[in-house]
Amino acid sequence: MDTALKNSQPHQKSGTLQRKKIASFFVSVYDVYKFIAGFFKEVFTGPYEFKEIVRQCYEIGCKSLAIITLTAFITGIVFTKQSRPSLSEFGATSWLPSLIAIAIVRALAPLMTALVIAGKVGSNMGAELASMRVTEQIDAMEVSSTNPFKFLVITRVLAITITLPVLVTYFAFLGLAGAYLNVHHNESTSFTTFMTNAFVKISFLDLFSSLFRSVVYGFTIGITGCFKGYNAKQGTVGVGRAANSAVVISMFLIFIEEMVIVQIVNYFR
Amino acid sequence: MKSAGPKIDRNTIVISIKDLQKSFGEMNVLRGIDLDLYKGENVVILGRSGSGKSVLIKIIAGLLKPDSGMVKLLGSEINNLDKKELLALRLKIGFSFQSSALYDGMSVWENLQFPLVRNRRDLTKKQVNETIEQVLNDVGLLQTIDQMPAELSGGQKKRIGIARMLILHPEIILYDEPTGGLDPVTCVEINNLINKVQLQYNTSSIIITHDLSCAKSTGDRIVMLSDGIFFRQGSFEEVFNTDDERVKSFYNYYILNQ
Ligand SMILES: Nc1ncnc2c1ncn2[C@@H]1O[C@H](COP(=O)(O)OP(=O)(O)OP(=O)(O)O)[C@@H](O)[C@H]1O
Ligand SMILES: [Mg+2]
């Protein structure tokens, strides 16, 4: 009897703890929902912060060019190099350009760009907004009768949603350029032939799905980074946490979205 | 003692607080606060660190929601306002943060320009520049106009924070520890600035502090906050002419430091 009581108590405690955890999970889901709803409510009402949107696009786009250039180029070269042996077994190296193009345009460009940008820009957004939150700068905007959500969140989310498709396109071309270098080195194919071969197998649906995905990923990175930063708590510790969870959660969401969208697109193919 | 301030209009109440309560979890920070602030008056709220002064002032500014009780600003109850009305009301209220809360990604000029151009869309570029220069002149920091907040000293940050809220010409000003963490000379400068603002901009203010010299030189009325309630109020002499231990410990410390 005694032991039974003793054993049941910690069990009960962990039961209430679990219930609390589940409750707080639903509370945070509701918070996210409210955040996104707030975005769509405010994005269509003026006044607009055009200057700030342009500045953010510049911050996100131009300052990420170097790292995107590097990843895209290396991905192109390495991927071609690694695929060559298996194709040459069948004497099918002439298929390389279109194989690479499919891989880059359909899969690699959107996914890799999004992951790199999630790491670079998402963490930056999380940290920036979180430090503004914990040093009361967001409160200061609110009491000076300006709308911090509009100035900080809407501009950032819009900017990254606009910029990511551009970066993805840039990634695709540089990746193909890297692939061309390798192909040219081995088969001395001309650039025009390479590009013609490359785009033979690319359909409108491929391009559309890639661009659509990059818009979705951009929005995901922006909303996650801003949500984590805007709602940061607990002083300077909260800044690090916001930056960290912005990256982890947005990468996780990107993979889930990738899976879902690719399934849907395949259904239309 | 405070030199003669402006005339206080005892018929007009600009802030009215009734039975305000707020707790965080188990901790009851505010347990029934009542306060009326008259037009033209500077009220100083004194209290020890952690007594809930910042919580109170944030509730007044609408940054925190009270658990119960009523806060009326310029005749309208803040909990009943929608977003738009709240924005309009906040134009008339200035808030000077304990931590200054300057936008650290922006220069001093941009810090001042930020609230101005978003609330006064009718101003031309030239007028904006003139307004910024004038208000910087009022706080005596025109030379810092192109600096970043990280390059300013604590006292300068406080004054830029005050300038940033003055630029919208508020009717009510809430100061959260304007002299906290500053040297005595700078404290006197800030005190003088607060009095100058009261006269020049014709404002009513709530000043939160635990610095008695600030309380003495800026307050028309002092209220003391302890254990979540205001337990004493009156002029500086009235409040400190007592045997109450809580008041005396405050005062003795002040005498020691004179
Ligand atoms: N967001 C919050 N969550 C939980 N507790 C809080 C929160 N804000 C304030 N408190 C608690 O309320 C109490 C009063 O805090 P407050 O910041 O108002 O003190 P204060 O009087 O301004 O002190 P100081 O003079 O040091 O600024 C503190 O004990 C603090 O722990
Ligand atoms: Mg405080």
Side-chain angles (χ1 to χ4, degrees), chain B residues 24 27 29 48-55 98 177 210:
Chain B
F24 293 103
M27 187 170 50
V29 179
R48 294 186 52 184
S49 187
S51 55
K53 305 182 299 293
S54 296
V55 170
Q98 186 166 1
E177 305 216 5
H210 43 176

Side-chain angles (χ1 to χ4, degrees), chain B residues 80-114:
Chain B
N80 294 342
L81 298 180
D82 62 29
K83 235 179 168 179
K84 228 176 178 174
E85 292 168 320
L86 192 62
L87 279 182
L89 182 63
R90 277 191 173 141
L91 261 186
K92 300 179 187 154
I93 299 181
F95 194 117
S96 154
F97 283 82
Q98 186 166 1
S99 57
S100 306
L102 298 183
Y103 310 133
D104 48 21
M106 304 183 195
S107 71
V108 167
W109 185 84
E110 287 167 322
N111 261 280
L112 297 178
Q113 181 248 16
F114 183 84

Side-chain angles (χ1 to χ4, degrees), chain A residues 42 47 49 132 135-137 139-147 151, chain B residues 58 83 87 90-91 97 99 101-104 114 118-119 121 164 168:
Chain A
E42 304 227 6
E49 299 277 357
M132 292 189 79
T135 57
E136 299 180 315
Q137 292 177 47
D139 289 337
M141 286 188 181
E142 211 155 287
V143 291
S144 68
S145 197
T146 49
N147 186 342
F151 182 74
Chain B
K58 280 182 186 161
K83 235 179 168 179
L87 279 182
R90 277 191 173 141
L91 261 186
F97 283 82
S99 57
L102 298 183
Y103 310 133
D104 48 21
F114 183 84
R118 283 175 180 73
N119 289 300
R121 290 178 189 271
R164 187 177 61 185
L168 295 174

